[in-house]
């Protein structure tokens, strides 16, 4: 079973993440940050990864620690659920259109974390949510999930649409990368013998 639960507790946050890579995109995410929950729901639904997240953070300061630490915990859960990575497709990419926005995501579950982020937002806030935290989430996910991740905004006028397109594009790329490849059953998708 490609499932994992990760609990992360610091002086700033307390987070529990449960993932099922072979799910149907069922989600129950509660971080205390409304817009972020909406984005996590998109990540789950469009990756088909079942996701349950409970996070309590120092929101009286701001949303930063909660968003970043949730990204860390999801990345760690993803690594645990993938196990030895034998038989997965490993790579994924998706070009996602959402209204005025067009975002491209490409990733490699390489165990070599690297984020290339070419996403600008026309506003600093989406409601009360700092748009700079979108990058912080994906940086944490990439680092702790061992993901080489490229995200590019090709078009976009509305910050909400750009952020949502980014989460959905990464979700669809992740869906492709974690899927079992029937032609590679039990085989590691690497000539190095390790990922």
């Amino acid at each position: 079973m490609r499932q994992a639960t990760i609990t992360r507790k610091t002086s700033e946050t307390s987070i529990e993440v449960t993932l099922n890579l072979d799910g149907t995109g069922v989600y129950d995410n509660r971080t205390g940050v409304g817009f972020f929950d909406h984005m996590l729901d998109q990540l789950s639904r469009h990756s088909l990864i079942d996701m349950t997240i409970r996070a309590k953070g120092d929101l009286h300061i701001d949303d930063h620690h909660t968003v970043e630490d949730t990204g860390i915990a999801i990345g760690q859960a993803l690594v645990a659920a993938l196990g030895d990575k034998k038989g997965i497709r490993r790579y994924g990419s998706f070009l996602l259109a959402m209204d005025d926005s067009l975002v491209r995501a490409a990733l490699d579950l390489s165990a070599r974390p690297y984020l290339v982020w070419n996403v600008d937002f026309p506003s600093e806030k989406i409601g009360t949510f700092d748009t700079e935290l979108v990058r912080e989430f994906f940086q944490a996910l990439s680092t702790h999930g061992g993901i080489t991740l490229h995200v590019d905004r090709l078009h976009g006028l509305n910050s909400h649409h750009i952020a949502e397109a980014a989460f959905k594009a990464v979700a669809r790329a992740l869906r492709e990368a974690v899927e079992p490849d029937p032609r590679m059953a039990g085989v590691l998708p690497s000539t190095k013998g390790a990922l």
Side-chain angles (χ1 to χ4, degrees), residues 97-189:
M98 180 177 173
D99 299 335
D100 54 285
S101 300
L102 183 64
V103 175
R104 177 179 56 217
L107 60 84
D108 176 10
L109 301 177
S110 61
R112 295 187 306 276
Y114 197 91
L115 177 66
V116 175
W117 183 257
N118 294 310
V119 180
D120 294 322
F121 292 96
S123 64
E124 293 182 3
K125 298 268 191 185
I126 301 169
T128 61
F129 186 83
D130 294 325
T131 52
E132 68 180 8
L133 294 182
V134 177
R135 185 192 184 282
E136 292 302 316
F137 171 78
F138 285 114
Q139 180 67 67
L141 177 68
S142 170
T143 299
H144 293 271
I147 304 168
T148 300
L149 175 61
H150 293 245
V151 185
D152 301 289
R153 177 185 70 102
L154 304 179
H155 300 287
L157 302 171
N158 179 283
S159 292
H160 186 130
H161 294 163
I162 295 165
E164 190 163 340
F167 272 86
K168 288 177 176 178
V170 171
R172 290 299 300 258
L174 192 58
R175 172 181 170 179
E176 183 179 347
V178 303
E179 281 183 345
D181 184 340
R183 296 178 63 197
M184 292 284 288
V187 178
L188 192 70

Side-chain angles (χ1 to χ4, degrees), residues 78-86:
L78 183 62
V79 169
L82 282 168
D84 62 13
K85 299 182 184 175
K86 288 183 178 177

